[in-house]
Amino acid sequence: MKSAFTLLLVLGAAGAPQLGCSDDAATPDDGEGGSSSSSSAVASGGSTTTGSGGGGSSSSTTASSTAASTTSASTTAASTTSASTTAASTTSSGTGGAGGEEPLGDELPMEIPTPTNGDGEIRTQTTVLKNAANGGQDVYDFNNQMIGVDNDKDCKDGEGQKTVFEVEDGVTVKNLIIMGGLPAGNGIVCKGNCTLDHVYWPDVCEDAATNSKDGATMRINSSIALHSDDKIFQHNAKGGSTTIVTNSYIADFGKLWRSCGDCTANGGPRNLVIDNVRVDKVKSTVAGANENYGDTVKITNLYVKGGYDEEDDKPKICQEYRAVTDHMGESEKLHGGASQWNTATCRVSKSDIKSW
């Protein structure tokens, strides 16, 4: 028998309105998007650990308060249900496309687990997950707890949303559900090499995760991210930094990945690798890369709901941009915004775009 939470998600898929900040809106802009830094309320102390590998919620302290601050569960319920989340919960009217094949392997999740902590936990401040060298640990396993942050900045109101988790270099985060709606805030910000494994975003607020350290690699594996007016994964880091998305399900979004279009001291190169990923309801494009900064996009085994319509170029797969720096104007779509194939930037073949 399915849990009440899973049943609620399926019922939500049938047409319930989205809570929080992820209702369908106009095509998102191509600006900088997600903030790469946490808000002024970022926790500053060491993270506490439970057992080997973390075992539970790991929150940092501030000068005036201790770890894992929470608000009442009653304030979380409305923001968590966000009509989210199984494969059955999103449909599209795409036509055509190659393949009809199933994604590879059995590590591609299609259903967000039932939270192990009931209605979830809203923390008052950003939680810093310190690595072992800094007194924390290198693997944090949250056992499918659902956690958000007390964010009061609207999801659609520019920058400044509070970050839920700030992840230090070398840290792996496992089995975590980021609460939907306002408490999703600016999601997860990686401050170095990081791995997000079986992490779930039922209703993205600003961004799901941000790659913010020059030269670092942010890996997302076996994860689900749903309902974003704009980007899912923001890439602000430069210097050959890389975002890797594998074995995941991403649906109802503006862009799956965007290389920052107008960051302060903007540049590159930034790299994206996608393999064995299912997408549905792509509002803008799967990937947006800056041609003038040397970005690269490598996509293999991308499964599009209903297939890719070559005649109408829907959904867009890889778009090239001419980015700007220091917020000096807006980045410009190249080639009329058409999907690019087998270029120096968009290293994508139509044969790797399949239907499901």
Side-chain angles (χ1 to χ4, degrees):
M1 178 181 296
K2 290 187 176 180
S3 68
F5 183 83
T6 303
L7 180 58
L8 176 60
L9 296 176
V10 174
L11 290 174
Q18 302 302 313
L19 301 179
C21 308
S22 328
D23 52 314
D24 292 338
T27 300
D29 62 40
D30 298 313
E32 177 173 353
S35 168
S36 64
S37 61
S38 307
S39 71
S40 60
V42 171
S44 58
S47 44
T48 56
T49 61
T50 306
S52 60
S57 62
S58 172
S59 58
S60 19
T61 60
T62 65
S64 60
S65 64
T66 56
S69 48
T70 65
T71 58
S72 66
S74 62
T75 65
T76 71
S79 61
T80 62
T81 53
S82 70
S84 294
T85 243
T86 60
S89 71
T90 54
T91 59
S92 73
S93 56
T95 59
E101 305 169 40
E102 284 301 307
L104 306 173
D106 56 4
E107 282 299 303
L108 195 157
M110 294 297 291
E111 182 175 312
I112 294 177
T114 300
T116 56
N117 59 338
D119 290 333
E121 172 189 353
I122 295 182
R123 298 181 175 180
T124 59
Q125 298 181 2
T126 298
T127 300
V128 178
L129 299 181
K130 292 184 173 293
N131 57 32
N134 288 329
Q137 57 200 65
D138 290 338
V139 178
Y140 290 84
D141 189 336
F142 285 88
N143 190 33
N144 290 330
Q145 290 184 86
M146 182 165 60
I147 298 172
V149 71
D150 187 17
N151 167 53
D152 60 3
K153 184 80 169 178
D154 189 84
C155 300
K156 300 177 184 176
D157 190 19
E159 306 296 326
Q161 292 82 5
K162 198 177 293 184
T163 296
V164 185
F165 287 95
E166 186 177 289
V167 180
E168 288 194 343
D169 182 53
V171 168
T172 293
V173 180
K174 300 176 63 175
N175 303 313
L176 170 66
I177 305 169
I178 298 293
M179 189 175 291
L182 276 176
N186 191 43
I188 297 173
V189 173
C190 286
K191 293 292 189 176
N193 296 309
C194 73
T195 298
L196 310 179
D197 185 57
H198 288 86
V199 175
Y200 309 97
W201 294 267
D203 188 8
V204 174
C205 180
E206 170 58 11
D207 299 316
T210 300
N211 187 340
S212 69
K213 179 66 174 177
D214 289 359
T217 297
M218 179 173 75
R219 300 174 183 271
I220 300 98
N221 181 60
S222 297
S223 297
I224 295 174
L226 307 175
H227 309 307
S228 174
D229 288 332
D230 197 359
K231 301 167 301 300
I232 297 291
F233 302 119
Q234 174 73 20
H235 196 141
N236 292 341
K238 301 176 293 184
S241 51
T242 302
T243 297
I244 300 173
V245 186
T246 56
N247 308 318
S248 295
Y249 172 52
I250 317 292
D252 190 24
F253 59 89
K255 303 176 184 72
L256 188 152
W257 174 89
R258 178 67 170 102
S259 175
C260 185
D262 66 351
C263 281
T264 301
N266 206 7
R270 303 179 177 112
N271 306 301
L272 171 67
V273 176
I274 292 177
D275 183 58
N276 197 35
V277 170
R278 279 187 178 184
V279 297
D280 188 11
K281 290 187 176 178
V282 183
K283 301 171 191 174
S284 179
T285 188
V286 173
N290 299 325
E291 183 272 341
N292 57 322
Y293 292 146
D295 294 350
T296 68
V297 172
K298 177 64 176 175
I299 298 177
T300 52
N301 300 305
L302 178 69
Y303 295 83
V304 177
K305 180 71 171 181
Y308 167 68
D309 186 336
E310 185 172 353
E311 182 176 352
D312 291 334
D313 190 20
K314 290 184 178 179
K316 298 290 192 296
I317 302 299
C318 181
Q319 290 180 315
E320 296 182 1
Y321 289 78
R322 180 178 292 110
V324 298
T325 188
D326 299 317
H327 312 287
M328 300 293 290
E330 296 184 1
S331 59
E332 174 191 357
K333 288 180 184 177
L334 303 178
H335 316 292
S339 298
Q340 297 300 293
W341 307 96
N342 301 305
T343 68
T345 300
C346 293
R347 303 174 181 183
V348 187
S349 299
K350 291 179 182 177
S351 61
D352 268 308
I353 312 304
K354 309 172 192 295
S355 176
W356 70 280

